[in-house]
Amino acid sequence: MSRKLDSVKDINDSKETWRLAVRIMDVWSVVNNKGIEHLEMIVMDSLGDRIQVLIRHDHLLKWKEVIKENMTCIINNGSVYNNDFQWKVCDHSKKIVFLGGTTMKAIELQNIPPKGYFFKDFGEILQGKCKTDRLEVSNAWSGSKLLINEDIPEIQDFMSKLPTNEQKEKPTQSAKSLSNWSGGSQYSPVERFVHNAKCMSLSQFCKIKHETLCVTVATTLKFAVSKYGWFYYGCTRCSSKAPNPEKAYECSCGQKVEQPIPRYKIEIYVSNGESKYRFVFWDSECAAILGMTAEFMHNSMVENGEDDPMVYPDELEMLLNKKMAFRVKVQPTFSQASVWKLCDDEVFVKEIENDYIVKDNQSKTEYAKLVPNKENLETSAQTLSASGENDPESIILMTPAKDVVIADKGEEVDFEASGATQLSGTKPSKKLKIEPSS
């Protein structure tokens, strides 16, 4: 026997269990003023009804790499509360909060359209048939989408009623006005990169006593060879390490893994002046710079008769001698820093270095003048990055320029989830002699 499906309209706080067939219309990350991240999303059922969903910080790791925009799925169970979001992006009076017992299974559902449009008649607005406390036109961060030249029936119907000359001229004028408008709620990539982090020079890392989120500028120097080599075997979907690289298993994320795949985990010494520190680069950062996955690189090595993870292929040298801005979690217990986000754009790096990094002889008062003091910087935003993953503490809203590497790491764990990086390159891997770190 199977439980029947509920509709979004049926969702209320009296239901202890429910089962929804929905499409994920939008998903984004929110960081509060304490630097704690959670996920929010909008789901829609086959009737076009929507409800907002919250995934708390303590469940972030379980769902962050599983949930994808536009996927259809069956969701079972979760708490239902009044919709008290500050920014409501749908009209449902309730919201769903994922719990430990919430399950979600991806499944093809053709009866749920990929898009849904809801238009408010201006006549109803003039008659007061609306929420009068929300009479404004504005973008909702990560809740609004700009659709250009979409075949929306309501718009096509409206356009067909316009005089011929207006059909040709009015839309063009509107498009020009829209393209020239700049909203006041947008923050620069640099401001988002440094948000909630301590900006300091590499030489100050040795003074840190507790785990700290920091931003710094440094140059990758050489590999710090560990006993694990340059990769580990992990789940094909999430960031978990495989219990046994040679055996199939079911991961905690729900994925049935027939064969674990290699993922990058590379320790590299970085330097700035006379200072040096060990950084741990994860799968997404490495794949973004190298342009190939660890699985592809490992397979190339195997084809050439080499399967030793202690043999570093030549292609990994592309990670060295790069000056970059880093957002890292400094872990003094292990004398290392885990890379969460990086950028190698020269202008970006220079701005971080000149305007935000606290020099050794700089006072805290001087430093306070450098950090932007803008309200609501923690507002949610959709990440656009080279690796397609999200940073655990803040989200950067930007489209990387050509040849600019911007990669970010998921929630702080031992092993990183793979980014959606396209496989490329056919050059076979070569052996690279590496001197053990001192």
Side-chain angles (χ1 to χ4, degrees):
M1 297 181 63
S2 60
R3 178 186 172 90
K4 73 177 184 66
L5 291 172
D6 297 294
S7 69
V8 166
K9 280 187 176 180
D10 293 332
I11 296 298
N12 57 71
D13 49 17
S14 66
K15 279 184 171 290
E16 296 182 357
T17 60
W18 43 263
R19 180 179 174 87
L20 290 177
V22 295
R23 182 182 295 274
I24 298 177
M25 306 302 293
D26 201 357
V27 58
W28 64 94
S29 179
V30 180
V31 182
N32 66 17
N33 55 9
K34 295 181 180 179
I36 299 175
E37 181 190 10
H38 69 266
L39 291 182
E40 292 180 21
M41 62 181 180
I42 303 170
V43 299
M44 183 178 76
D45 64 13
S46 60
L47 300 176
D49 294 314
R50 303 185 181 200
I51 190 168
Q52 202 161 342
V53 180
L54 170 70
I55 301 176
R56 300 181 316 209
H57 175 75
D58 50 342
H59 296 296
L60 197 63
L61 280 180
K62 178 179 179 180
W63 297 110
K64 196 167 189 178
E65 298 303 324
V66 177
I67 293 173
K68 304 295 180 184
E69 185 175 331
N70 205 39
M71 70 180 288
T72 53
C73 56
I74 302 291
I75 303 178
N76 294 279
N77 309 329
S79 292
V80 179
Y81 300 98
N82 290 330
N83 186 356
D84 58 356
F85 286 111
Q86 180 180 3
W87 306 109
K88 297 177 176 62
V89 292
C90 56
D91 291 331
H92 204 292
S93 62
K94 302 298 180 181
K95 68 180 179 182
I96 293 173
V97 179
F98 274 28
L99 299 174
T102 300
T103 63
M104 184 176 73
K105 181 180 180 180
I107 186 173
E108 286 293 328
L109 298 170
Q110 301 296 333
N111 62 332
I112 304 179
K115 296 174 184 175
Y117 305 100
F118 303 90
F119 296 91
K120 173 66 70 174
D121 187 275
F122 279 106
E124 293 183 7
I125 295 177
L126 294 176
Q127 295 173 24
K129 297 179 180 179
C130 59
K131 297 179 180 179
T132 57
D133 60 336
R134 295 176 61 188
L135 272 178
E136 63 178 24
V137 179
S138 178
N139 66 303
W141 203 317
S142 291
S144 297
K145 291 187 177 181
L146 176 64
L147 304 176
I148 300 175
N149 296 329
E150 288 284 329
D151 292 328
I152 304 173
E154 290 84 352
I155 292 180
Q156 297 299 324
D157 179 61
F158 172 78
M159 295 289 289
S160 67
K161 297 176 182 178
L162 292 175
T164 305
N165 61 332
E166 290 187 25
Q167 280 185 330
K168 296 178 180 178
E169 297 175 5
K170 290 295 181 64
T172 303
Q173 181 61 37
S174 299
K176 287 182 179 178
S177 300
L178 181 62
S179 63
N180 290 332
W181 180 83
S182 176
S185 62
Q186 303 299 313
Y187 297 93
S188 76
V190 170
E191 289 170 335
R192 293 206 162 274
F193 194 91
V194 304
H195 180 54
N196 277 343
K198 293 186 177 181
C199 303
M200 60 178 62
S201 64
L202 197 65
S203 61
Q204 296 172 308
F205 278 28
C206 62
K207 303 175 184 177
I208 296 176
K209 304 299 182 184
H210 307 283
E211 287 196 350
T212 306
L213 186 63
C214 298
V215 168
T216 194
V217 171
T219 301
T220 51
L221 186 63
K222 64 178 181 178
F223 297 113
V225 180
S226 71
K227 61 181 180 181
Y228 304 107
W230 59 274
F231 71 90
Y232 67 94
Y233 286 94
C235 174
T236 54
R237 176 191 287 174
C238 76
S239 60
S240 301
K241 180 184 178 183
N244 188 323
E246 298 178 358
K247 292 184 178 181
Y249 71 103
E250 183 171 351
C251 182
S252 58
C253 72
Q255 178 76 352
K256 292 183 178 179
V257 182
E258 295 297 327
Q259 175 59 57
I261 62 172
R263 294 190 181 279
Y264 295 112
K265 182 191 176 186
I266 304 177
E267 299 179 16
I268 298 178
Y269 282 113
V270 302
S271 66
N272 191 321
E274 299 296 321
S275 302
K276 185 173 70 172
Y277 210 79
R278 182 164 52 95
F279 281 13
V280 180
F281 288 66
W282 300 94
D283 197 69
S284 60
E285 294 91 337
C286 297
I289 296 174
L290 299 171
M292 66 183 76
T293 65
E295 182 181 19
F296 179 86
M297 187 174 292
H298 176 259
N299 290 342
S300 297
M301 291 184 65
V302 173
E303 291 173 3
N304 286 272
E306 184 57 73
D307 191 27
D308 186 354
M310 298 306 297
V311 176
Y312 285 56
D314 284 348
E315 286 82 358
L316 294 181
E317 289 192 287
M318 294 172 59
L319 299 171
L320 303 180
N321 301 313
K322 285 183 174 290
K323 184 176 182 179
M324 294 182 277
F326 293 96
R327 182 180 175 90
V328 300
K329 172 63 73 68
V330 180
Q331 301 168 312
T333 303
F334 307 104
S335 298
Q336 68 179 26
S338 180
V339 177
W340 281 11
K341 185 178 291 185
L342 57 82
C343 180
D344 67 351
D345 176 57
E346 184 176 349
V347 175
F348 188 100
V349 172
K350 185 173 292 185
E351 183 175 351
I352 293 284
E353 190 171 42
N354 294 341
D355 296 343
Y356 292 89
I357 299 300
V358 181
K359 305 300 188 296
D360 293 341
N361 58 353
Q362 191 173 22
S363 68
K364 290 185 178 180
T365 303
E366 291 173 316
Y367 168 64
K369 298 177 182 178
L370 300 178
V371 178
N373 182 22
K374 295 192 177 184
E375 297 180 353
N376 298 326
L377 197 58
E378 68 274 14
T379 307
S380 62
Q382 185 86 19
T383 301
L384 297 176
S385 70
S387 68
E389 294 179 330
N390 298 326
D391 179 272
E393 292 290 337
S394 70
I395 299 301
I396 183 168
L397 183 64
M398 66 183 298
T399 302
K402 185 178 181 182
D403 296 328
V404 176
V405 172
I406 298 177
D408 51 38
K409 179 188 179 303
E411 182 69 18
E412 174 72 30
V413 292
D414 287 339
F415 298 93
E416 171 56 358
S418 172
T421 306
Q422 183 178 0
L423 300 182
S424 65
T426 57
K427 178 183 177 183
S429 302
K430 300 179 181 178
K431 295 184 180 180
L432 176 66
K433 184 178 179 181
I434 306 294
E435 296 182 0
S437 56
S438 56

